[in-house]
């Protein structure tokens, strides 16, 4: 089945959809944490007994799904919670070194001004996310559902859908294949960003509802769509 049959489209190819709530992933979607991740992966590998990787291998793994990456690294499933906890602790200590992507602030403000609610679902902690966003941007987020396990975002998405917005007016936006899988598992539309961890080709193979090359496209797709159906 081709991408058109599945409903995958680039921005501008089909009529714009209407959304009232956007659920963002954080690392790799709003925050440029790739450099931190690359610094942390091999020390974590040596500590927890999985495969260390070269820069070339990291680039290769960006073209694999999350599950394939875990298999390649040889990470035991029972170690995933331990690794996640250690990673969160390290990131909390280094939060001041993690920048937002250059267009993140503009995008969040534009969506807020368009009357679109914003949530963040992440495996990272709310404290770290708020520290990176800063007070002004952090206060634009209506709901934080943080501390998700590696494959536990679907449960967090369900929590967010209980906030009174119809599921057909919600879109989840992230940079990894697991973000797409989790959104689909709970019947939500999903947007894949092409500037984060996973390469666009592997994201396209997982058939997101829409893909984004810039944050301006997100503003147009989500914010402008509200005005198109009668919003101010």
């Amino acid at each position: 089945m081709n991408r058109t049959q599945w409903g995958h489209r680039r921005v501008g190819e089909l009529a714009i959809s209407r959304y009232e709530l956007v659920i963002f992933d954080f690392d790799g979607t709003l925050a440029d944490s790739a450099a931190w991740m690359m610094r942390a992966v091999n020390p974590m590998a040596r500590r927890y007994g999985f495969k260390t990787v070269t820069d070339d291998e990291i680039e290769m793994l960006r073209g694999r799904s999350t599950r394939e990456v875990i298999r390649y690294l040889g990470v035991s499933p029972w170690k995933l919670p331990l690794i996640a906890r250690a990673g969160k602790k390290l990131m909390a200590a280094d939060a001041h070194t993690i920048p937002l992507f250059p267009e993140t602030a503009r995008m969040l403000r534009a969506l807020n001004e368009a009357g679109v609610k914003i949530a963040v679902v992440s495996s990272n902690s709310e404290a770290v996310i708020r520290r990176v966003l800063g007070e002004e941007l952090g206060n634009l987020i209506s709901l934080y559902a943080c501390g998700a396990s590696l494959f536990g975002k679907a449960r967090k998405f369900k929590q967010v859908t209980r906030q009174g917005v119809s599921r057909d007016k919600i879109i989840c936006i992230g940079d990894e294949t697991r973000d797409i899988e989790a959104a689909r598992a709970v019947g939500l539309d999903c947007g894949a960003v092409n500037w984060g961890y996973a390469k666009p080709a592997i994201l396209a193979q997982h058939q997101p509802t829409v893909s984004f090359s810039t944050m301006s496209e997100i503003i147009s797709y989500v914010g402008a769509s509200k005005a198109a159906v009668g919003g101010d």
Side-chain angles (χ1 to χ4, degrees):
M1 186 172 288
N2 61 38
R3 289 193 298 177
T4 301
Q5 290 171 302
W6 273 101
H8 176 272
R9 57 191 181 274
R10 293 286 301 147
V11 171
E13 285 184 1
L14 297 177
I16 294 175
S17 300
R18 178 177 186 267
Y19 298 104
E20 294 181 358
L21 171 64
V22 182
I23 305 174
F24 284 107
D25 169 57
F26 185 70
D27 293 294
T29 302
L30 300 180
D32 187 2
S33 47
W36 183 89
M37 296 287 187
M38 285 188 280
R39 290 196 306 270
V41 63
N42 283 336
M44 295 281 285
R46 288 187 284 269
R47 179 177 177 182
Y48 290 100
F50 59 91
K51 178 180 171 59
T52 59
V53 288
T54 64
D55 289 347
D56 287 342
E57 285 177 302
I58 289 173
E59 183 62 20
M60 176 272 294
L61 290 172
R62 292 183 61 233
R64 304 285 184 90
S65 71
T66 307
R67 297 174 195 279
E68 289 173 323
V69 171
I70 290 171
R71 285 197 296 271
Y72 182 87
L73 295 177
V75 179
S76 300
W78 69 268
K79 287 185 179 180
L80 286 174
L82 297 175
I83 296 168
R85 281 197 295 272
K88 289 172 189 175
K89 186 175 180 180
L90 288 173
M91 184 169 277
D94 292 339
H96 64 286
T97 70
I98 298 170
L100 296 173
F101 286 107
E103 290 297 306
T104 296
R106 174 177 171 268
M107 179 190 67
L108 293 178
R109 291 183 187 118
L111 293 178
N112 179 68
E113 288 168 6
V116 177
K117 294 180 181 178
I118 305 169
V120 171
V121 169
S122 175
S123 55
N124 213 327
S125 72
E126 180 176 343
V128 168
I129 293 170
R130 283 185 176 275
R131 202 174 311 157
V132 177
L133 286 173
E135 183 176 1
E136 181 218 344
L137 297 179
N139 288 337
L140 299 183
I141 310 303
S142 300
L143 179 67
Y144 291 87
C146 299
S149 62
L150 189 62
F151 294 105
K153 282 193 170 181
R155 183 178 300 175
K156 297 292 185 179
F157 287 158
K158 286 181 180 178
Q159 292 178 12
V160 177
T161 62
R162 300 189 189 113
Q163 304 305 307
V165 178
S166 175
R167 290 194 182 198
D168 64 351
K169 293 179 173 60
I170 301 173
I171 185 169
C172 308
I173 298 178
D175 71 312
E176 295 186 58
T177 61
R178 63 191 176 108
D179 298 319
I180 299 170
E181 292 171 355
R184 185 173 291 123
V186 295
L188 299 176
D189 283 356
C190 50
V193 304
N194 293 337
W195 55 81
Y197 169 75
K199 291 183 177 180
I202 189 65
L203 293 171
Q205 288 175 21
H206 281 68
Q207 302 293 344
T209 308
V210 61
S211 58
F212 300 106
S213 294
T214 68
M215 292 193 187
S216 292
E217 290 182 347
I218 296 177
I219 296 170
S220 298
Y221 189 79
V222 177
S225 64
K226 192 172 181 67
V229 294
D232 293 329

